[in-house]
Amino acid sequence: MQTRRATMLSAIAALAVSAVPARAAAGEPRPAGLVRLTLPAPSGPYPVGTVALRLVDASRADPWVASQPYRELMVGIRYPARTVGGCPAAPQMLPGEASGFAALNSFTDVPSSRVDWAATRTHAHEGAPVAHGGPLPVLCYSPGAGDPRSLGTTLCDDLASRGYAVVTLDHTYDASAVEFPGGRVERSVLPAEFAKAYPDQQRITALLRKTMAVRVADARFLLDALPSALPQVLCGRLDFGRIGMFGQSAGGFTALQTMHDDPRIAAAANLDGVLAYVQDDSAPGNLSSVAADGLDRPFLLIGKDGNDLGTVPSWQALWRNSPGWHRGLSLRGAQHATYTDAEAMVPQIARRLGLPRKTVVENIGTIAPRLAITAQRAYVAAFFDRWLRGRDDDALWDGASGCHPEARYF
């Protein structure tokens, strides 16, 4: 059985076969007795604040919905706060987003209807005042295909608690559901797009190329629009001369491809994202331009167990063609969804519902969640600390780390 979102193609296929009516629409009461989840607390010295922004790209018609004359996005900004007293904890997902996520949930053998996806609160607080200090380096986050930006909350909140402004981006009509101010919800069109393309391989490849092109255009528009769109609480506090980007799965692909296309990205990290338009990570050919051309700025690859330079041809091509600094590792026992909030959520669901261990392993592997979360926090933060802040990483990249024995370096 294929685990969740092994590649961008399987993500789209998973959305297509799992597209069932949503459990509850935005604003409807949620049934009692559902499993409620918690997320790990950030490890940095700062509490975390958050704001959400609606951005409109009037220069670009929406590529997914022909009747929409402009491209509309929702983003969230996580940042180190001075204090969070009196500021409410932000939900992981708004009601409409939670409903859409429940409808398209493709966690293997996890009964989505028995989880209250809208009940989870994050450790970020709405509208909290920003911490004192100099301008904050900026990190942009792109989620996997079909995923909402909120599925990377554990890592994004942690980076904000360490002193970064983390800008999370929803790719409208790609993400399971995006809720805009006023409660309007836009659902993913990827299931329908995949159904139209299947089984023609050329059309499927074209769909993957379009999906990535839209994502990169979204990211580049974000860089254009954000400086003038900041709310008062953050005006003058973000350093747009120090920008990094990271993401999981198709979001990792988006991060590296955006850096290839846009010189404003100084460093980028890819969490288990294939860099080719293929049906499986191990398939050769159909390379992206970032893999074929390489990168001259620093990048980091982190893979699930078994994904390395010998098994992922697009990673090998990128590695071979890149003259700049680069490092890579995989985590022993990790699965593809290890690099999302699934690492914290799935074990809780399994315990509450009495699901077999097999269900947990199929979704997030055999690595202990505590070790997985600690390791990815440490490596991603150390990478950006080195290249955006000039900080010493204590030779972390020079060889196997005694602090993280589950890491296997490329």
Side-chain angles (χ1 to χ4, degrees), residues 332-410:
R332 186 183 296 109
Q335 255 297 350
H336 188 60
T338 291
Y339 304 106
T340 72
D341 290 339
E343 188 66 28
M345 299 162 78
V346 170
Q348 294 178 65
I349 299 170
R351 286 194 299 271
R352 290 286 303 278
L353 299 181
L355 304 181
R357 174 165 172 73
K358 176 184 177 184
T359 297
V360 176
V361 171
E362 286 179 337
N363 283 284
I364 61 171
T366 58
I367 189 171
R370 177 182 59 82
L371 297 178
I373 292 168
T374 299
Q376 61 185 289
R377 284 175 166 180
Y379 284 109
V380 174
F383 170 73
F384 287 119
D385 280 353
R386 176 167 182 164
W387 296 107
L388 298 185
R389 289 169 150 172
R391 293 184 176 177
D392 186 1
D393 50 39
D394 296 322
L396 183 65
W397 308 109
D398 295 341
S401 169
C403 296
H404 306 288
E406 63 280 358
R408 297 172 173 172
Y409 290 77
F410 298 166

Side-chain angles (χ1 to χ4, degrees), residues 106-122:
S106 57
F107 289 137
T108 304
D109 296 331
V110 171
S112 182
S113 62
R114 298 182 66 185
V115 179
D116 190 347
W117 301 104
T120 308
R121 288 296 178 269
T122 70

Side-chain angles (χ1 to χ4, degrees), residues 191-214:
E193 293 294 324
F194 181 82
K196 288 190 294 186
Y198 184 82
D200 187 316
Q201 292 304 307
Q202 288 186 334
R203 293 184 67 183
I204 291 173
T205 300
L207 175 58
L208 298 183
R209 290 183 178 276
K210 177 179 178 178
T211 301
M212 186 53 53
V214 173

Side-chain angles (χ1 to χ4, degrees), residues 29-410:
R30 301 189 295 275
L34 299 179
V35 173
R36 294 190 168 199
L37 306 172
T38 61
L39 296 174
S43 64
Y46 296 100
V48 178
T50 185
V51 295
L53 299 175
R54 170 182 174 265
L55 299 179
V56 175
D57 185 355
S59 70
R60 181 170 49 131
D62 193 281
W64 295 116
V65 178
S67 62
Q68 179 64 278
Y70 51 83
R71 180 70 170 158
E72 185 179 17
L73 304 171
M74 284 300 295
V75 303
I77 307 177
R78 289 339 214 220
Y79 55 88
R82 184 167 70 250
T83 179
V84 295
C87 300
Q92 183 188 27
M93 301 181 198
L94 296 172
E97 295 166 341
S99 178
F101 183 78
L104 296 185
N105 168 50
S106 57
F107 289 137
T108 304
D109 296 331
V110 171
S112 182
S113 62
R114 298 182 66 185
V115 179
D116 190 347
W117 301 104
T120 308
R121 288 296 178 269
T122 70
H123 295 275
H125 295 259
E126 296 174 347
V130 67
H132 294 300
L136 305 169
V138 178
L139 299 178
C140 300
Y141 172 77
S142 174
D147 285 341
R149 69 187 193 270
S150 55
L151 204 60
T153 294
T154 298
L155 183 55
C156 291
D157 279 2
D158 188 74
L159 288 163
S161 78
R162 296 171 184 248
Y164 288 95
V166 184
V167 185
T168 62
L169 171 62
D170 263 336
H171 301 282
T172 312
Y173 304 116
D174 174 329
S176 51
V178 181
E179 185 164 340
F180 289 93
R184 176 172 54 92
V185 179
E186 302 294 351
R187 302 293 183 94
S188 178
V189 302
L190 292 187
E193 293 294 324
F194 181 82
K196 288 190 294 186
Y198 184 82
D200 187 316
Q201 292 304 307
Q202 288 186 334
R203 293 184 67 183
I204 291 173
T205 300
L207 175 58
L208 298 183
R209 290 183 178 276
K210 177 179 178 178
T211 301
M212 186 53 53
V214 173
R215 287 168 152 264
V216 172
D218 288 347
R220 299 190 71 180
F221 167 68
L222 174 66
L223 298 180
D224 292 338
L226 192 60
S228 61
L230 292 176
Q232 184 63 39
V233 69
L234 292 174
C235 281
R237 298 307 310 279
L238 273 61
D239 184 352
F240 292 103
R242 292 185 292 164
I243 301 176
M245 189 167 181
F246 69 109
Q248 185 265 349
S249 191
F253 189 168
T254 303
L256 266 61
Q257 187 66 52
T258 302
M259 185 164 78
H260 171 273
D261 295 353
D262 197 312
R264 289 174 290 185
I265 304 292
N270 174 3
L271 308 181
D272 209 46
V274 66
L275 301 172
Y277 307 102
V278 294
Q279 298 184 47
D280 187 84
D281 292 6
S282 61
N286 279 326
L287 292 178
S288 62
S289 58
V290 65
D293 298 341
L295 290 165
D296 60 359
R297 281 155 285 156
F299 69 85
L300 173 66
L301 301 176
I302 303 182
K304 68 180 181 181
D305 198 345
N307 271 8
D308 55 33
L309 301 182
T311 60
V312 184
S314 61
W315 285 10
Q316 174 62 255
L318 172 69
W319 201 271
R320 181 178 62 249
N321 295 327
S322 296
W325 187 100
H326 47 276
R327 295 290 186 274
L329 60 102
S330 61
L331 295 181
R332 186 183 296 109
Q335 255 297 350
H336 188 60
T338 291
Y339 304 106
T340 72
D341 290 339
E343 188 66 28
M345 299 162 78
V346 170
Q348 294 178 65
I349 299 170
R351 286 194 299 271
R352 290 286 303 278
L353 299 181
L355 304 181
R357 174 165 172 73
K358 176 184 177 184
T359 297
V360 176
V361 171
E362 286 179 337
N363 283 284
I364 61 171
T366 58
I367 189 171
R370 177 182 59 82
L371 297 178
I373 292 168
T374 299
Q376 61 185 289
R377 284 175 166 180
Y379 284 109
V380 174
F383 170 73
F384 287 119
D385 280 353
R386 176 167 182 164
W387 296 107
L388 298 185
R389 289 169 150 172
R391 293 184 176 177
D392 186 1
D393 50 39
D394 296 322
L396 183 65
W397 308 109
D398 295 341
S401 169
C403 296
H404 306 288
E406 63 280 358
R408 297 172 173 172
Y409 290 77
F410 298 166

